[in-house]
Every structure is written in structure tokens, then in C-alpha cells.
Amino acid sequence: MTRIHELPAHRLAALVRSRELSPVEIAEHYLQRIRRLDDRYGAYITVTEELALEQARNAQKRAMSDTPEDLPPLLGVPLPIKDLDTVAGVLVTFGSRAFPDLVAPTDSAVVAQLRDAGAVFLGKTNTPEFGATCHTENAVAPPTRNPWDTSRSPGGSSGGAAAAVAAGLAPVAQGSDGGGSIRIPASVCGLFGLKPTRGRISLGPDRADLNGLSTAGPITRSVLDAALMLDAMAVNLPGDLFTAPPLPPGETFADHARREPGQLRLARYSDTGSTGIPVHPDVLAAHEETTRLLLELGHEVEEIDNPFESAFGGAFAEDFPYLWAAIASATPVDPAREGELTPIYRWLRERARQTTVPDHVGAVARLQRGTRAMLTATERFDAVLSPTLARPPVPIGHFTSGGPEEEFRLMTEFTPFTSIYNVTGQPSVSVPLHWSPSGLPIGSMLTGRMGGEGTLLSLSAQLERARPWAHRVPGGWTD
């Protein structure tokens, strides 16, 4: 008999709408699993049991009283919120000891969207301090562990979100991505992760857009679940610096996930340019297998040189850290609590303080010129294929044993493919098509044109039908 946590979110929503499954029963099932299993994984910083049950009871009343067509799309579907976004009345730590007892007064824009869509909030998922690293180890909670191998990292910064979905402690999760923070944990946890187009989802009301690197997005087991979440999360608010081109009237992202993509023209690359960062043989094997599958499905695939190497003149690795440090420096921290920050975050803030305004502006200008060149060079392709990461999942502690400068270098070597698309603003997904010979997930990354989430969702759904992955679950799934 199928258990509740084995059902995708779109199926849960349908069962609630048809009154075959109670939102309270769904919420209680997940809360019980969290209580019983999360000590293994450390996916959650805060579990909002009372809030979840209250929302579930309200959802049940609506399901019983309203007609199905009047019900919101995610009614009764439980999900967690990454602990960088605020939920009104709930503790928010930002993964930092500098904020030990802050209760959020309001929802963030994306949380408000999910609340309006009928979602039930299970809690807040673990994240590195202010989302600054590609692993999920901080000073406020035990490290989050990869459900496929608990000695390994689930990636970051949405590591808690991915661990929750991979372990069956949530059907889907909200994450955010400023340098790969959705796609990285999706890759190493065997999930589908979508970074939307810049401006698709507002960062309001409190977070600044800055250079537009970061966006919220879904982490899910199925492509359709990600599309349904994106439909619910997408919003622009007054004062947003960036907005994405809307879908045509009457269309939804879920529509795209349900349709065939047609024959597409795709590019591919797997080298890391002048950085010389090596790509693991298992990753390269996965890249070749994804290429073969795309060809079998009838798509054109053309090998190209590393596109950001030529567009950015080999300077991307030198210029991007200016933006990353600037974001860290913009976080308001009580000076009396600066010493409580993690070494990597103090290092980033100090690096920003030592950067002159002309140096920062020059880096931003070079990155924008590179973005223009790269988008122009790849415009003829419907999507670009590359590895998501340079390596399979790494052990917990891999990044943190040698000091902050060494940590930043190791993060760069692990994630040489993801952050470029935060700079360009393009939509990008990690698709869980492969597992290494030792049984560890390896994602493949597909990146589309600006506003091209629909094409990526159609293509990813086609890949999912051709090589289903939802049946592949880690060992603790059946507990």
C-alpha cells in the first residue's frame, strides 16, 4: 500500500481536492516522520507543529466546504521554508548565532504566496549562515546530512530543504539560489531543483535585490511538482528592481510540464576553462549519458567551448567574489555580535570592507559586459547542458578544516558551473538522472533563455518520463 510520503505533491493536492485524503492526516504523517527520523539528517532547525496542524485543520474545512475549482492549488500540501525566509510569528535564525531569538513579524513575499496557495508549513529548514556556503554546517544546529549517505554533505545553502525532501520528511520544499544553492543540493540529494529567471519571484518585502543573484525556487522529486510550486511562488511587487517576462495569458508552468518540448537545439560543454578545475570522471560519465539520452529523444546537441570563458575573458573567477563579499557585508549584524559569526562569513565581510568602490563597480561592469556577450553567444540554443557540479557528494567537514580562504577555494572547485547563471539571471535546473557506481546522486544542469522556465520544464519532464527517477530513494525512506 502506498504511504503518504511516497506520493508526489501534485497527487496529494488532487486527493485533498477530491476529499479522499485529509490535510490533517497528511500533516500528522509528516510531523510524525520528522519527530522520528530528523535526528539522523538535521534537515529542520525549527518544526512548527502547532502552526502546521492549525493550517491543516483550516485546509480541511475548506476542502469540505468549497467546490474543487474554488480551492487554491496547494491546499493541504505540507512543505518547509528555508530559514533565510521569514514566516510571521516563527523564529528565524538565518543559520547564525547572531540572531538567537528573532521572531519574524511578517511573511516574506514568497512565503505569503505559498500561504495564499494553501500550503501547510512544517517548519524551517537548516541553512549555512546567511546562505553563504555550498554546504549546510553552521553554529546554531548540527550539520545537515545527506540521506543517501549520512557521512556526506547534502550541499547548500538549501541543504536542509533538500535533505527533508530526499528523506521523505516533506513532499517538496522552498529553497533559494544565489550561487547554486538550489541546484547544488538537488544534485547531491537526487532531486529536481529549479532556479527561476531573475525577477520571477520577488525578494520583498525586506531583502534587497542587490545585483539580482538570488531567487527563491522549488526543490522537488518530480518536475510537475516544481512547476506547480513555481506557479504559486511567482510574484512581482512594487519596488522590485527586476521583473521576469510573464507567461502568455492563460498559460501556467504546470501546462509546460505536461506538454512535449518538441525538437530542441541544445548546446553542451563540460570544461571549466582557465580555472583548470578538474571534473570528476563520474560526473563526466553522467554528462555523456545525458547527451546520449537527449540525442535519443530527437534533440540536436552541439558541443561548444566553455561559454563564460570567452564571454567573461577568463576573469569571472576574480570578479564574482566581489559580489559574494558585498552581499555578506550588507547583512545588518550588531557589532557586538560580529565575533559570533562563522569564520567564512567574517572573512567575506572583511574582504568587502577592504574593497574600494571603484574596484567593486569595475567588477560589476565586467560581469555585465560578460553577461551581454554570453547571452548573445548562446541565444541560438533553446538550452545549454553542463554538469551541475564538478564532483559527486563530499564528506561533511570537507570544506571547513583549513580556514576561510581555503574554504572559499574548495567551494569554488566544487561548484564551477552554477554561479555564472546567477550572474546572467537565466533559469537553470538540476535534473537527477544519474547515480555514481557507489550509489551517490549526480545531477545534470540545463540552462535556458531568460524567461525560458517553460522550455526547461517541458524538457525536464520528457527526461523524467524517459528515465524515471522517483523510484530511487535512500535507505531510510522506508523507515
Side-chain angles (χ1 to χ4, degrees):
M1 181 177 178
T2 302
R3 293 176 295 175
I4 286 173
H5 67 274
E6 296 172 331
L7 296 170
H10 65 268
R11 183 65 180 143
L12 291 175
L15 291 170
V16 168
R17 296 169 81 84
S18 65
R19 301 175 182 172
E20 297 174 70
L21 195 57
S22 156
V24 173
E25 184 181 358
I26 298 170
E28 287 178 339
H29 178 86
Y30 275 104
L31 290 168
Q32 190 272 338
R33 281 185 64 82
I34 293 167
R35 285 193 300 270
R36 187 161 52 87
L37 300 174
D38 194 40
D39 282 348
R40 296 182 193 173
Y41 308 116
Y44 287 83
I45 287 183
T46 302
V47 179
T48 52
E49 186 162 339
E50 290 185 7
L51 173 62
L53 291 174
E54 178 186 1
Q55 289 179 310
R57 287 190 290 268
N58 291 336
Q60 187 160 310
K61 291 176 184 176
R62 290 198 64 178
M64 297 303 293
S65 61
D66 293 357
T67 57
E69 58 268 21
D70 293 330
L71 297 176
L74 297 179
L75 185 70
V77 175
L79 56 86
I81 302 299
K82 184 177 177 180
D83 207 24
L84 297 184
D85 273 278
T86 56
V87 177
V90 175
L91 182 73
V92 57
T93 72
F94 306 106
S96 176
R97 290 197 302 170
F99 291 88
D101 52 11
L102 177 62
V103 175
T106 59
D107 289 340
S108 72
V110 69
V111 169
Q113 288 291 110
L114 290 168
R115 191 189 292 272
D116 288 346
V120 170
F121 298 148
L122 294 171
K124 307 296 294 295
T125 52
N126 202 4
T127 180
E129 190 167 54
F130 303 110
T133 64
C134 66
H135 56 87
T136 305
E137 300 164 44
N138 59 40
V140 301
T144 303
R145 298 179 178 275
N146 192 324
W148 291 91
D149 178 349
T150 55
S151 72
R152 295 179 185 267
S153 171
S157 62
S158 304
V165 177
L169 307 183
V172 293
Q174 174 264 339
S176 58
D177 191 317
S181 291
I182 286 172
R183 292 158 291 157
I184 295 163
S187 177
V188 299
C189 290
L191 301 170
F192 183 74
L194 166 63
K195 181 195 84 69
T197 297
R198 175 181 294 141
R200 180 71 67 196
I201 300 171
S202 175
L203 291 178
D206 297 320
R207 292 173 66 184
D209 293 331
L210 294 175
N211 293 296
L213 295 182
S214 185
T215 178
I219 297 177
T220 64
R221 291 172 58 213
S222 80
V223 176
L224 180 56
D225 282 358
L228 289 170
M229 282 193 71
L230 184 58
D231 281 324
M233 298 163 80
V235 64
N236 289 126
L237 297 175
D240 289 346
L241 293 181
F242 305 101
T243 57
L247 290 174
E251 280 197 13
T252 67
F253 290 112
D255 293 334
H256 284 274
R258 295 185 177 105
R259 70 177 57 151
E260 291 292 332
Q263 185 184 52
L264 300 179
R265 187 176 189 183
L266 308 174
R268 74 163 210 155
Y269 70 98
S270 60
D271 68 286
T272 58
S274 61
T275 65
I277 294 171
V279 180
H280 193 280
D282 290 346
V283 172
L284 292 175
H287 182 68
E288 294 301 324
E289 181 57 30
T290 299
T291 301
R292 284 193 289 272
L293 178 56
L294 290 166
L295 290 169
E296 289 171 8
L297 292 170
H299 303 295
E300 299 178 22
V301 183
E302 178 180 330
E303 184 81 27
I304 62 171
D305 293 331
N306 184 310
F308 62 88
E309 179 70 16
S310 55
F312 289 85
F316 180 85
E318 287 73 42
D319 287 333
F320 180 76
Y322 283 102
L323 274 65
W324 206 242
I327 293 171
S329 72
T331 303
V333 176
D334 182 347
R337 304 199 77 121
E338 281 267 350
E340 299 179 56
L341 299 176
T342 54
I344 183 69
Y345 210 71
R346 291 200 307 271
W347 179 77
L348 286 167
R349 288 166 71 86
E350 182 57 31
R351 179 169 179 163
R353 292 186 185 107
Q354 293 175 1
T355 301
T356 67
V357 171
D359 284 344
H360 177 79
V361 171
V364 172
R366 288 189 294 272
L367 289 170
Q368 186 175 18
R369 285 196 296 270
T371 294
R372 287 175 171 143
M374 183 167 162
L375 292 178
T376 299
T378 57
E379 178 62 23
R380 61 196 178 96
F381 298 108
D382 296 296
V384 177
L385 170 70
S386 72
T388 306
L389 300 168
R391 295 183 56 175
V394 296
I396 289 172
H398 169 80
F399 299 100
T400 57
S401 60
E405 193 165 354
E406 174 71 0
E407 182 175 351
F408 195 83
R409 183 185 68 81
L410 290 172
M411 289 196 299
T412 301
E413 291 180 355
F414 188 57
T415 64
F417 299 102
T418 54
S419 60
I420 182 65
Y421 299 114
N422 296 88
V423 171
T424 66
Q426 295 166 262
S428 188
V429 300
S430 184
V431 186
L433 290 171
H434 307 284
W435 274 255
S436 72
S438 59
L440 296 175
I442 298 175
S444 291
M445 189 163 68
L446 288 160
T447 301
R449 298 187 179 103
M450 292 293 285
E453 292 98 323
T455 298
L456 290 180
L457 287 165
S458 296
L459 177 57
S460 298
Q462 184 188 50
L463 292 169
E464 184 180 19
R465 289 189 295 272
R467 296 283 175 85
W469 57 69
H471 66 285
R472 302 194 69 152
V473 293
W477 186 264
T478 57
D479 294 350

